[in-house]
Amino acid sequence: MKPALRNPKVLAGSAIALLVVLAALFGDWFSVHALGQDPHTLDYLVINQPPSGHHLLGTTGSGEDVLAQTIAGARGSLVVGLVSALISTALGILFGVCAGFFGGVADTVLNFITNLFIVMPVFALTLIVAGYLNNTGTMTIALIIGVFGWAGGARSLRAQTMSLRGRDHVQAMRMLGESRTRLVFSEVLPRLYPLISAMFLHAVIGGVLAEAGLAFLGVSSPNTISWGTMIQNAQNQNAIINGLWWWFLPPGFCIAALGTATGLINFGIDEIANPRLGAARRAAQQAVKAA
Amino acid sequence: MSSGTRRRAIAFARRLRFYVIAAWSAVTLNFLIPRLMPGDPAQAVVQQLEVKNGQNLPPQTVEAIRKLLGGVHENIAVQYWHYLGNLFTGNLGISTGNFPTRVTTLIGTALPWTMLLMGVSTVLAFLIGTGIGALCGWRPGTRTDSVLSPLSTFLAAVPYFWVALFALWLFAFRLGWFPLAGGHDPDADPSSPRYWLSVLHYGLLPALTIVFSSCGGWLLGMRNMTLTTTGEDFVLLARAKGLSNTRVLFRYAARNAMLPQLTGFALALGAIIAGSVLTETVFTYPGVGSLLKQAIDNRDYPLMQGILLFTTLAVLVANFLADSVYVLVDPRTRAQGGDAS
Amino acid sequence: MSVLLEAQGLCVDYLGGERSVRACAEVDLTLRRGEILGIAGESGSGKSTLITALTQLQRPPAAITAGRILLHRDDADGGGTVDLTAADEKRLRALRWREMSIVLQSAMDALNPVMRLSAQFADVLREHRRGITKEAVAARTAELLGMVGIPAERSGAYPHEMSGGMRQRATIALALACDPALVVMDEPTTAVDVVMQRQIMKQILGLRRRLGFAVVFVTHDLSLLLELADRIAIMYAGRIVEIGAARAIHDAPQHPYTRGLRDSFPPLHAPLSVLHGIPGTPPDPADPPPGCAFHPRCDRRLDACDRRLPRLGPVADGRGLAACLLHEHPEEAPVS
Ligand SMILES: Nc1ncnc2c1ncn2[C@@H]1O[C@H](COP(=O)(O)OP(=O)(O)OP(=O)(O)O)[C@@H](O)[C@H]1O
Ligand SMILES: [Mg+2]
């Protein structure tokens, strides 16, 4: 934990992620009490206002405060990201670890399903299933994203599990008659945690991006504010051709920041686990300077 | 070497088997999705059309819709059989949003636009990203590398459609360099050179946004793979042989670092149609993506279903081709003959 | 015989800011034409670092921070002396494989997995003999493979289609492609079984007799070197601690570390006797002990050993060089 927090990339990434989490938890309260703006309030007297002292990031076509909406959007986006990541990670573990550990017929079947989901056009499937369901709530969207998005993680987990299973001490414990289910929980899963947590982070941002994409295409829960729905509203009300940049830039920027944060955390952890990547660069820089 | 040939044939058959089963699963999934959905999509479609036409539909049309989307009071196995029969005769039904145009006609008209725009820009993004990535990984720590690699991390996290909206706002709205919507000059005659120039002009901005935002992923992947590969002994040996730097990079380091990229490229090619939804929605481009968006907005179930089926099959074909090419570029897979993984 | 290669005061560091590691320190070496020089030492003693530096193949973070490497060229090749550490990339490229080639430890990783064996021979032959015909390339490849007992038909194979021993012999044949004056071998036999190991050693000796190249042969297995090498250098913590004729190293090791190393390997052709390992572990190269790096493990330690760094110098009977205070102050008695 300590070396991880000393890594500047992990530190920067965690700081941004923390900010988003805080916004998701206390954003509403903050907007109302500190900014004096409610994200849901429509004020038809001040529509399409550019940023000003009163509305720091301007207002939308319905007179909502863009800053308050952006803060509120953190919750909508993050909830979908987290729930879908939980679902896809759980499915990934179920398929990947079982296939890798039990082998045989189980592996053949599970691996086939995994490969099937890898080659399927997941985004189109998600979009169409969501399109069939008439009114989609936040949880339904998260569920669909999670159910279609687990296969890549399952593949890497399977490979890792297979190599773990081959290790001597695991083999020995199997010989000694340790139950296989017990082995999965005591020997295999703990060693997969680093991979699983990286997968989870990746899945969160994947979920946030997918939700934004779906919302942009009109598949969203009508009364939830998320960064995706903000951009969709902006697009629907022709924010572009009316030049209302303050409306669609902030939510996209927030998604990008969250994505960069998770990217930084994963990179930093990679660097700690695999020093060659970082060390090679630093040394090369030194060598360039020395020459 | 006949045993080698046989092994290769077996490997090929195994791959083919995977894709045949995958295609069958996709077709079946496509059959099941509307039947598993709550409510009665077929009834919804019939009602939509009746409202639109202001009169009752002829019974055989209603029957056809029910066959496609379920809700017939027939055994599900019989329904499935009819469905497969329709597929083999290329009958994907009739679009309700564009009644009475056939779904296949709609897809056929939209497809060339999507293939052109998405195909060209996906290939370009792959080539540029992989090329620069190889250079960054070959010489880590140079100025190019230390600027581009973090930038790519950021770009990979930016939602594509947002980049596209921004580009549309800046280059089309503010600067006026590009048109705001469409795929070609509506006033030009399709056989005139002016028309083709307008196709280029209209397609350029969407293509650039795709290249811009997907380049970074290829760059990062190739950079890290090249970095790993240059650490390998065979690259050291190639240098020891006194080969030129370009030869060491291309024939030894990048040649091997490319292999995982190719798998990704196959998936990306397959995802072209699905990915086109966002691009084409932002730029109001007349391709399959716009068609899908329109189908979802209109709850045009036959069109949705047709596009999904078509997309899935396209992905499978792309992957199958890529798998087969992969075998040519990585001799090691010839011996093992792995399946789709 | 004339001198082929000289290293003078060579230092190689793995750069890393304050955590830089000196993996080779002030190495002096002389190699004559046609000679086999063995380099032995425990894992981590800097053997690979030394020979990649000798062939100018070090890559970041490794860097040569001091010293020179002189290559004396044969009159037939134009003669003259080149300082490899000062030569630019173009100059080096012209010398590579024609003057010095290398055989790496693991042939599996040393051959490009996506190129046929024949192509890996062809590119180096073409590089160094401009205008060579296709037929000549094929003939030369067949000849080279023949030298190590690989039938010419196998040249169309990919590395993964060959056995480990065959791959290793192929890399040796590859090293001889341009008739180099020097072949550097980094543990070329550790990845193969004992039978194959013997066969490869025989082939190296036979080829050296026929072609007259010099060899720097790195291994951690001293008994192997006793059979192969003319002279042996012993490395410890990045320094050469003893160098001398192979027989002398075997019969009368002068450095306590050399003796420990000799006694910890079974001889290839002798009945097994009691083996004595060296107690303790090699030092951390990032934080070497003061004085002689071996003193914490040495059973003949002197008082001054943790303060004074012994220089490599002639030993009493004049048969080699050793870096040990025992030989600088033979009158001082060991601490009990
Ligand atoms: N990339 C690196 N960065 C930092 N230190 C390194 C690096 N590579 C090697 N070293 C250090 O340099 C020292 C010498 O390594 P080297 O590979 O030359 O040893 P060796 O004698 O060849 O060992 P072996 O018998 O295991 O091959 C080692 O102590 C190692 O810790
Ligand atoms: Mg070594």
Tab-separated table of all heavy atoms in Angstrom, chain A residues 112 116 119 127-128 131-132 134 216-217 231 235 241 243 245 248-249 252-253 259-260 267 276 284, chain B residues 18 21-22 140 153-154 157 162 165-166 169 173 180 227 277 281-282 293 296 299 301 308 312 315:
chain	number	residue	atom	x	y	z
A	112	PHE	N	-15.908	-21.394	-24.479
A	112	PHE	CA	-16.630	-21.144	-25.732
A	112	PHE	C	-17.563	-19.943	-25.569
A	112	PHE	O	-17.581	-19.032	-26.391
A	112	PHE	CB	-17.433	-22.385	-26.133
A	112	PHE	CG	-18.161	-22.208	-27.428
A	112	PHE	CD1	-17.516	-22.430	-28.628
A	112	PHE	CD2	-19.483	-21.788	-27.436
A	112	PHE	CE1	-18.177	-22.233	-29.816
A	112	PHE	CE2	-20.150	-21.594	-28.629
A	112	PHE	CZ	-19.499	-21.823	-29.825
A	116	LEU	N	-17.402	-16.366	-27.458
A	116	LEU	CA	-18.586	-15.893	-28.169
A	116	LEU	C	-18.852	-14.440	-27.802
A	116	LEU	O	-19.077	-13.590	-28.660
A	116	LEU	CB	-19.764	-16.770	-27.764
A	116	LEU	CG	-20.903	-16.870	-28.730
A	116	LEU	CD1	-20.410	-17.450	-30.037
A	116	LEU	CD2	-21.984	-17.767	-28.149
A	119	VAL	N	-16.351	-11.937	-29.377
A	119	VAL	CA	-16.497	-11.545	-30.774
A	119	VAL	C	-17.834	-10.858	-31.081
A	119	VAL	O	-17.977	-10.253	-32.126
A	119	VAL	CB	-16.305	-12.734	-31.747
A	119	VAL	CG1	-14.900	-13.264	-31.660
A	119	VAL	CG2	-17.312	-13.814	-31.494
A	127	LEU	N	-27.196	-1.701	-26.966
A	127	LEU	CA	-28.063	-0.639	-27.459
A	127	LEU	C	-29.422	-1.187	-27.851
A	127	LEU	O	-30.470	-0.608	-27.522
A	127	LEU	CB	-27.369	-0.016	-28.678
A	127	LEU	CG	-27.985	1.202	-29.314
A	127	LEU	CD1	-28.058	2.310	-28.289
A	127	LEU	CD2	-27.142	1.634	-30.499
A	128	ILE	N	-29.413	-2.323	-28.531
A	128	ILE	CA	-30.675	-2.840	-29.043
A	128	ILE	C	-31.531	-3.423	-27.928
A	128	ILE	O	-32.746	-3.183	-27.866
A	128	ILE	CB	-30.390	-3.847	-30.167
A	128	ILE	CG1	-30.040	-3.033	-31.404
A	128	ILE	CG2	-31.577	-4.759	-30.408
A	128	ILE	CD1	-29.531	-3.814	-32.548
A	131	GLY	N	-32.941	-0.713	-26.280
A	131	GLY	CA	-33.975	-0.118	-27.117
A	131	GLY	C	-35.297	-0.875	-27.042
A	131	GLY	O	-36.366	-0.289	-27.113
A	132	TYR	N	-35.222	-2.209	-26.871
A	132	TYR	CA	-36.443	-3.007	-26.752
A	132	TYR	C	-37.173	-2.719	-25.443
A	132	TYR	O	-38.385	-2.695	-25.391
A	132	TYR	CB	-36.111	-4.502	-26.812
A	132	TYR	CG	-36.173	-5.073	-28.208
A	132	TYR	CD1	-35.032	-5.527	-28.837
A	132	TYR	CD2	-37.381	-5.181	-28.878
A	132	TYR	CE1	-35.080	-6.058	-30.110
A	132	TYR	CE2	-37.444	-5.707	-30.147
A	132	TYR	CZ	-36.297	-6.165	-30.768
A	132	TYR	OH	-36.363	-6.681	-32.011
A	134	ASN	N	-38.778	-0.677	-22.894
A	134	ASN	CA	-39.308	0.656	-23.151
A	134	ASN	C	-38.796	1.716	-22.204
A	134	ASN	O	-38.178	2.670	-22.615
A	134	ASN	CB	-40.828	0.612	-23.152
A	134	ASN	CG	-41.319	0.103	-24.484
A	134	ASN	OD1	-40.767	0.490	-25.505
A	134	ASN	ND2	-42.300	-0.781	-24.479
A	216	PHE	N	-26.259	9.241	-24.865
A	216	PHE	CA	-26.123	10.114	-26.017
A	216	PHE	C	-27.022	9.648	-27.158
A	216	PHE	O	-27.547	10.444	-27.921
A	216	PHE	CB	-24.664	10.145	-26.458
A	216	PHE	CG	-24.438	10.966	-27.686
A	216	PHE	CD1	-24.577	12.345	-27.640
A	216	PHE	CD2	-24.098	10.371	-28.884
A	216	PHE	CE1	-24.385	13.108	-28.772
A	216	PHE	CE2	-23.918	11.137	-30.019
A	216	PHE	CZ	-24.059	12.508	-29.964
A	217	LEU	N	-27.202	8.329	-27.243
A	217	LEU	CA	-28.049	7.797	-28.310
A	217	LEU	C	-29.508	7.734	-27.887
A	217	LEU	O	-30.344	7.180	-28.582
A	217	LEU	CB	-27.560	6.411	-28.708
A	217	LEU	CG	-26.178	6.448	-29.365
A	217	LEU	CD1	-25.644	5.052	-29.562
A	217	LEU	CD2	-26.236	7.195	-30.690
A	231	ILE	N	-24.951	15.489	-21.998
A	231	ILE	CA	-24.481	15.678	-23.369
A	231	ILE	C	-25.622	15.416	-24.355
A	231	ILE	O	-25.756	16.091	-25.366
A	231	ILE	CB	-23.274	14.764	-23.659
A	231	ILE	CG1	-22.143	15.080	-22.683
A	231	ILE	CG2	-22.784	14.968	-25.080
A	231	ILE	CD1	-20.933	14.208	-22.843
A	235	GLN	N	-27.095	17.899	-27.131
A	235	GLN	CA	-27.175	17.534	-28.545
A	235	GLN	C	-28.610	17.702	-29.059
A	235	GLN	O	-28.839	18.255	-30.125
A	235	GLN	CB	-26.693	16.092	-28.699
A	235	GLN	CG	-27.106	15.418	-29.989
A	235	GLN	CD	-26.142	15.726	-31.113
A	235	GLN	OE1	-25.253	16.559	-30.972
A	235	GLN	NE2	-26.316	15.060	-32.233
A	241	ILE	N	-24.924	23.797	-32.767
A	241	ILE	CA	-25.108	24.804	-33.804
A	241	ILE	C	-25.580	26.121	-33.228
A	241	ILE	O	-25.656	27.118	-33.936
A	241	ILE	CB	-26.067	24.324	-34.931
A	241	ILE	CG1	-27.338	23.757	-34.329
A	241	ILE	CG2	-25.393	23.282	-35.802
A	241	ILE	CD1	-28.346	23.400	-35.405
A	243	GLY	N	-23.801	27.146	-30.633
A	243	GLY	CA	-22.540	27.601	-30.045
A	243	GLY	C	-22.525	27.580	-28.525
A	243	GLY	O	-21.785	28.314	-27.897
A	245	TRP	N	-21.054	26.023	-26.067
A	245	TRP	CA	-19.979	25.106	-25.707
A	245	TRP	C	-19.972	24.772	-24.219
A	245	TRP	O	-19.570	23.692	-23.810
A	245	TRP	CB	-18.621	25.682	-26.139
A	245	TRP	CG	-18.403	27.082	-25.650
A	245	TRP	CD1	-18.707	28.219	-26.308
A	245	TRP	CD2	-17.860	27.471	-24.394
A	245	TRP	NE1	-18.404	29.308	-25.563
A	245	TRP	CE2	-17.877	28.884	-24.379
A	245	TRP	CE3	-17.367	26.790	-23.280
A	245	TRP	CZ2	-17.401	29.614	-23.295
A	245	TRP	CZ3	-16.897	27.526	-22.202
A	245	TRP	CH2	-16.917	28.911	-22.214
A	248	PHE	N	-21.917	21.368	-23.309
A	248	PHE	CA	-21.480	19.980	-23.551
A	248	PHE	C	-20.016	19.736	-23.197
A	248	PHE	O	-19.600	18.597	-23.102
A	248	PHE	CB	-21.767	19.556	-24.995
A	248	PHE	CG	-21.010	20.322	-26.041
A	248	PHE	CD1	-19.746	19.922	-26.425
A	248	PHE	CD2	-21.574	21.434	-26.645
A	248	PHE	CE1	-19.058	20.634	-27.392
A	248	PHE	CE2	-20.881	22.147	-27.607
A	248	PHE	CZ	-19.623	21.750	-27.979
A	249	LEU	N	-19.222	20.781	-23.007
A	249	LEU	CA	-17.821	20.517	-22.667
A	249	LEU	C	-17.604	19.967	-21.248
A	249	LEU	O	-16.891	18.983	-21.081
A	249	LEU	CB	-16.962	21.774	-22.875
A	249	LEU	CG	-16.675	22.144	-24.338
A	249	LEU	CD1	-15.673	23.282	-24.418
A	249	LEU	CD2	-16.154	20.948	-25.113
A	252	GLY	N	-18.260	16.020	-20.618
A	252	GLY	CA	-17.282	15.181	-21.324
A	252	GLY	C	-15.928	15.265	-20.671
A	252	GLY	O	-15.218	14.266	-20.522
A	253	PHE	N	-15.591	16.488	-20.237
A	253	PHE	CA	-14.305	16.649	-19.585
A	253	PHE	C	-14.247	15.826	-18.302
A	253	PHE	O	-13.220	15.221	-17.981
A	253	PHE	CB	-14.061	18.122	-19.291
A	253	PHE	CG	-12.752	18.367	-18.634
A	253	PHE	CD1	-11.592	18.392	-19.386
A	253	PHE	CD2	-12.666	18.533	-17.259
A	253	PHE	CE1	-10.371	18.583	-18.786
A	253	PHE	CE2	-11.448	18.720	-16.650
A	253	PHE	CZ	-10.301	18.749	-17.414
A	259	GLY	N	-11.635	8.843	-16.478
A	259	GLY	CA	-10.938	7.815	-17.252
A	259	GLY	C	-9.438	7.928	-17.099
A	259	GLY	O	-8.738	6.933	-16.893
A	260	THR	N	-8.932	9.146	-17.164
A	260	THR	CA	-7.495	9.340	-17.000
A	260	THR	C	-7.070	8.895	-15.604
A	260	THR	O	-6.015	8.284	-15.434
A	260	THR	CB	-7.133	10.815	-17.207
A	260	THR	OG1	-7.723	11.237	-18.426
A	260	THR	CG2	-5.639	11.001	-17.285
A	267	PHE	N	-1.724	2.315	-14.514
A	267	PHE	CA	-0.339	2.434	-14.989
A	267	PHE	C	0.642	2.423	-13.836
A	267	PHE	O	1.664	1.747	-13.873
A	267	PHE	CB	-0.145	3.734	-15.757
A	267	PHE	CG	-0.394	3.575	-17.215
A	267	PHE	CD1	-1.245	4.422	-17.872
A	267	PHE	CD2	0.241	2.576	-17.930
A	267	PHE	CE1	-1.497	4.272	-19.217
A	267	PHE	CE2	-0.002	2.418	-19.265
A	267	PHE	CZ	-0.876	3.277	-19.917
A	276	ARG	N	10.384	-2.606	-14.995
A	276	ARG	CA	11.089	-2.370	-16.242
A	276	ARG	C	10.504	-1.207	-17.036
A	276	ARG	O	11.225	-0.395	-17.589
A	276	ARG	CB	11.056	-3.627	-17.110
A	276	ARG	CG	12.356	-3.938	-17.783
A	276	ARG	CD	12.196	-5.054	-18.786
A	276	ARG	NE	11.925	-4.523	-20.113
A	276	ARG	CZ	12.825	-3.991	-20.901
A	276	ARG	NH1	14.059	-3.903	-20.504
A	276	ARG	NH2	12.513	-3.524	-22.082
A	284	ALA	N	16.751	5.669	-19.681
A	284	ALA	CA	16.994	6.133	-21.042
A	284	ALA	C	17.115	7.649	-21.048
A	284	ALA	O	17.984	8.212	-21.716
A	284	ALA	CB	15.860	5.690	-21.954
B	18	PHE	N	-15.815	-23.062	-34.745
B	18	PHE	CA	-16.156	-22.041	-33.757
B	18	PHE	C	-17.015	-20.960	-34.381
B	18	PHE	O	-18.041	-20.559	-33.828
B	18	PHE	CB	-14.899	-21.415	-33.150
B	18	PHE	CG	-15.195	-20.214	-32.297
B	18	PHE	CD1	-15.653	-20.374	-31.001
B	18	PHE	CD2	-15.055	-18.927	-32.798
B	18	PHE	CE1	-15.952	-19.271	-30.220
B	18	PHE	CE2	-15.364	-17.823	-32.021
B	18	PHE	CZ	-15.805	-18.002	-30.725
B	21	ILE	N	-20.594	-22.117	-35.201
B	21	ILE	CA	-21.442	-22.161	-34.001
B	21	ILE	C	-21.747	-20.749	-33.522
B	21	ILE	O	-22.865	-20.439	-33.112
B	21	ILE	CB	-20.773	-22.971	-32.874
B	21	ILE	CG1	-20.485	-24.392	-33.368
B	21	ILE	CG2	-21.670	-23.028	-31.649
B	21	ILE	CD1	-19.865	-25.271	-32.320
B	22	ALA	N	-20.747	-19.869	-33.589
B	22	ALA	CA	-20.964	-18.491	-33.147
B	22	ALA	C	-22.032	-17.832	-34.006
B	22	ALA	O	-22.907	-17.126	-33.492
B	22	ALA	CB	-19.657	-17.710	-33.204
B	140	PRO	N	12.294	4.712	-25.913
B	140	PRO	CA	11.503	5.266	-24.815
B	140	PRO	C	12.240	6.448	-24.193
B	140	PRO	O	13.467	6.464	-24.163
B	140	PRO	CB	11.390	4.103	-23.837
B	140	PRO	CG	12.543	3.226	-24.155
B	140	PRO	CD	12.818	3.397	-25.618
B	153	THR	N	-2.881	8.276	-23.074
B	153	THR	CA	-3.632	7.777	-21.927
B	153	THR	C	-4.879	8.611	-21.729
B	153	THR	O	-5.975	8.087	-21.507
B	153	THR	CB	-2.780	7.868	-20.645
B	153	THR	OG1	-1.489	7.386	-20.935
B	153	THR	CG2	-3.406	7.090	-19.530
B	154	PHE	N	-4.693	9.925	-21.831
B	154	PHE	CA	-5.828	10.826	-21.654
B	154	PHE	C	-6.842	10.611	-22.773
B	154	PHE	O	-8.028	10.442	-22.530
B	154	PHE	CB	-5.328	12.266	-21.632
B	154	PHE	CG	-6.412	13.295	-21.536
B	154	PHE	CD1	-7.080	13.505	-20.340
B	154	PHE	CD2	-6.769	14.040	-22.640
B	154	PHE	CE1	-8.089	14.443	-20.257
B	154	PHE	CE2	-7.779	14.984	-22.566
B	154	PHE	CZ	-8.445	15.184	-21.369
B	157	ALA	N	-9.278	7.839	-22.689
B	157	ALA	CA	-10.339	7.923	-21.701
B	157	ALA	C	-11.419	8.926	-22.074
B	157	ALA	O	-12.442	9.004	-21.425
B	157	ALA	CB	-9.739	8.297	-20.345
B	162	TRP	N	-17.882	12.816	-27.570
B	162	TRP	CA	-17.640	14.157	-27.042
B	162	TRP	C	-16.557	14.856	-27.869
B	162	TRP	O	-16.679	16.034	-28.215
B	162	TRP	CB	-17.242	14.042	-25.575
B	162	TRP	CG	-17.031	15.341	-24.895
B	162	TRP	CD1	-17.977	16.281	-24.616
B	162	TRP	CD2	-15.795	15.838	-24.408
B	162	TRP	NE1	-17.395	17.339	-23.972
B	162	TRP	CE2	-16.060	17.091	-23.827
B	162	TRP	CE3	-14.495	15.342	-24.393
B	162	TRP	CZ2	-15.055	17.852	-23.245
B	162	TRP	CZ3	-13.505	16.093	-23.808
B	162	TRP	CH2	-13.777	17.346	-23.238
B	165	LEU	N	-18.249	15.867	-30.965
B	165	LEU	CA	-19.079	17.068	-30.786
B	165	LEU	C	-18.203	18.312	-30.743
B	165	LEU	O	-18.510	19.336	-31.363
B	165	LEU	CB	-19.874	16.968	-29.482
B	165	LEU	CG	-21.093	16.070	-29.489
B	165	LEU	CD1	-21.680	15.970	-28.096
B	165	LEU	CD2	-22.134	16.619	-30.462
B	166	PHE	N	-17.113	18.204	-30.011
B	166	PHE	CA	-16.209	19.333	-29.874
B	166	PHE	C	-15.651	19.733	-31.240
B	166	PHE	O	-15.620	20.912	-31.603
B	166	PHE	CB	-15.081	18.959	-28.911
B	166	PHE	CG	-14.107	20.072	-28.681
B	166	PHE	CD1	-14.471	21.169	-27.921
B	166	PHE	CD2	-12.836	20.021	-29.233
B	166	PHE	CE1	-13.576	22.201	-27.712
B	166	PHE	CE2	-11.945	21.047	-29.030
B	166	PHE	CZ	-12.312	22.143	-28.267
B	169	TRP	N	-18.263	21.385	-33.266
B	169	TRP	CA	-18.489	22.756	-32.811
B	169	TRP	C	-17.364	23.671	-33.297
B	169	TRP	O	-17.585	24.728	-33.867
B	169	TRP	CB	-18.579	22.782	-31.280
B	169	TRP	CG	-18.582	24.151	-30.694
B	169	TRP	CD1	-19.611	25.049	-30.730
B	169	TRP	CD2	-17.504	24.789	-30.011
B	169	TRP	NE1	-19.238	26.210	-30.110
B	169	TRP	CE2	-17.961	26.086	-29.646
B	169	TRP	CE3	-16.214	24.396	-29.660
B	169	TRP	CZ2	-17.160	26.987	-28.957
B	169	TRP	CZ3	-15.410	25.295	-28.959
B	169	TRP	CH2	-15.881	26.573	-28.624
B	173	PHE	N	-18.773	24.604	-36.830
B	173	PHE	CA	-19.599	25.741	-36.428
B	173	PHE	C	-18.786	27.026	-36.318
B	173	PHE	O	-19.087	28.023	-36.963
B	173	PHE	CB	-20.297	25.425	-35.097
B	173	PHE	CG	-21.068	26.582	-34.549
B	173	PHE	CD1	-22.282	26.943	-35.113
B	173	PHE	CD2	-20.580	27.320	-33.481
B	173	PHE	CE1	-22.990	28.025	-34.627
B	173	PHE	CE2	-21.281	28.402	-32.996
B	173	PHE	CZ	-22.480	28.756	-33.564
B	180	LEU	N	-21.890	21.031	-41.431
B	180	LEU	CA	-22.367	20.617	-40.112
B	180	LEU	C	-23.004	19.234	-40.119
B	180	LEU	O	-23.046	18.569	-39.094
B	180	LEU	CB	-23.390	21.635	-39.608
B	180	LEU	CG	-22.803	22.859	-38.919
B	180	LEU	CD1	-23.862	23.933	-38.762
B	180	LEU	CD2	-22.233	22.485	-37.562
B	227	LEU	N	8.373	-2.071	-26.352
B	227	LEU	CA	9.297	-1.950	-25.227
B	227	LEU	C	9.635	-3.333	-24.677
B	227	LEU	O	10.795	-3.646	-24.400
B	227	LEU	CB	8.634	-1.100	-24.143
B	227	LEU	CG	9.547	-0.493	-23.099
B	227	LEU	CD1	10.562	0.403	-23.769
B	227	LEU	CD2	8.735	0.312	-22.107
B	277	VAL	N	-22.478	4.049	-34.959
B	277	VAL	CA	-23.681	4.707	-34.446
B	277	VAL	C	-23.343	6.084	-33.899
B	277	VAL	O	-24.003	7.075	-34.222
B	277	VAL	CB	-24.332	3.874	-33.318
B	277	VAL	CG1	-25.667	4.464	-32.944
B	277	VAL	CG2	-24.490	2.448	-33.748
B	281	THR	N	-24.278	9.557	-35.725
B	281	THR	CA	-25.281	10.372	-35.054
B	281	THR	C	-24.781	11.807	-34.904
B	281	THR	O	-25.513	12.760	-35.159
B	281	THR	CB	-25.618	9.785	-33.678
B	281	THR	OG1	-26.027	8.440	-33.869
B	281	THR	CG2	-26.720	10.552	-33.002
B	282	VAL	N	-23.522	11.943	-34.489
B	282	VAL	CA	-22.986	13.288	-34.309
B	282	VAL	C	-22.975	14.042	-35.637
B	282	VAL	O	-23.375	15.204	-35.710
B	282	VAL	CB	-21.561	13.229	-33.720
B	282	VAL	CG1	-20.935	14.614	-33.719
B	282	VAL	CG2	-21.598	12.667	-32.319
B	293	LYS	N	-29.728	4.161	-35.168
B	293	LYS	CA	-30.220	5.182	-34.234
B	293	LYS	C	-31.671	5.516	-34.544
B	293	LYS	O	-32.531	5.589	-33.660
B	293	LYS	CB	-29.322	6.413	-34.372
B	293	LYS	CG	-29.880	7.698	-33.802
B	293	LYS	CD	-29.580	7.815	-32.323
B	293	LYS	CE	-29.834	9.230	-31.826
B	293	LYS	NZ	-31.029	9.357	-31.021
B	296	ILE	N	-33.957	2.772	-33.452
B	296	ILE	CA	-34.220	2.757	-32.018
B	296	ILE	C	-35.178	3.883	-31.648
B	296	ILE	O	-36.108	3.686	-30.872
B	296	ILE	CB	-32.898	2.854	-31.238
B	296	ILE	CG1	-32.143	1.543	-31.418
B	296	ILE	CG2	-33.145	3.122	-29.768
B	296	ILE	CD1	-30.754	1.555	-30.905
B	299	ARG	N	-38.580	2.912	-32.616
B	299	ARG	CA	-38.948	1.559	-32.200
B	299	ARG	C	-39.293	0.718	-33.430
B	299	ARG	O	-40.298	0.012	-33.461
B	299	ARG	CB	-40.119	1.562	-31.219
B	299	ARG	CG	-39.873	2.477	-30.050
B	299	ARG	CD	-40.384	1.942	-28.742
B	299	ARG	NE	-39.830	2.726	-27.644
B	299	ARG	CZ	-38.695	2.420	-27.025
B	299	ARG	NH1	-38.030	1.342	-27.366
B	299	ARG	NH2	-38.228	3.173	-26.066
B	301	TYR	N	-38.679	-2.236	-34.815
B	301	TYR	CA	-38.057	-3.502	-34.411
B	301	TYR	C	-37.496	-4.318	-35.570
B	301	TYR	O	-36.397	-4.857	-35.456
B	301	TYR	CB	-39.035	-4.344	-33.587
B	301	TYR	CG	-39.417	-3.693	-32.283
B	301	TYR	CD1	-40.735	-3.404	-31.964
B	301	TYR	CD2	-38.417	-3.347	-31.372
B	301	TYR	CE1	-41.063	-2.788	-30.761
B	301	TYR	CE2	-38.754	-2.721	-30.176
B	301	TYR	CZ	-40.073	-2.454	-29.880
B	301	TYR	OH	-40.384	-1.843	-28.709
B	308	LEU	N	-28.881	-5.648	-36.243
B	308	LEU	CA	-28.128	-6.423	-35.260
B	308	LEU	C	-27.579	-7.697	-35.891
B	308	LEU	O	-26.403	-8.040	-35.744
B	308	LEU	CB	-29.011	-6.785	-34.066
B	308	LEU	CG	-28.321	-7.645	-33.011
B	308	LEU	CD1	-27.107	-6.913	-32.451
B	308	LEU	CD2	-29.260	-8.003	-31.878
B	312	THR	N	-23.620	-8.484	-36.342
B	312	THR	CA	-22.998	-9.639	-35.720
B	312	THR	C	-22.285	-10.491	-36.757
B	312	THR	O	-21.143	-10.916	-36.566
B	312	THR	CB	-24.061	-10.498	-35.024
B	312	THR	OG1	-24.969	-9.640	-34.363
B	312	THR	CG2	-23.429	-11.419	-34.028
B	315	VAL	N	-19.086	-8.913	-37.832
B	315	VAL	CA	-18.033	-9.086	-36.841
B	315	VAL	C	-17.424	-10.482	-36.948
B	315	VAL	O	-16.203	-10.652	-36.929
B	315	VAL	CB	-18.587	-8.873	-35.425
B	315	VAL	CG1	-17.572	-9.263	-34.389
B	315	VAL	CG2	-19.010	-7.445	-35.237
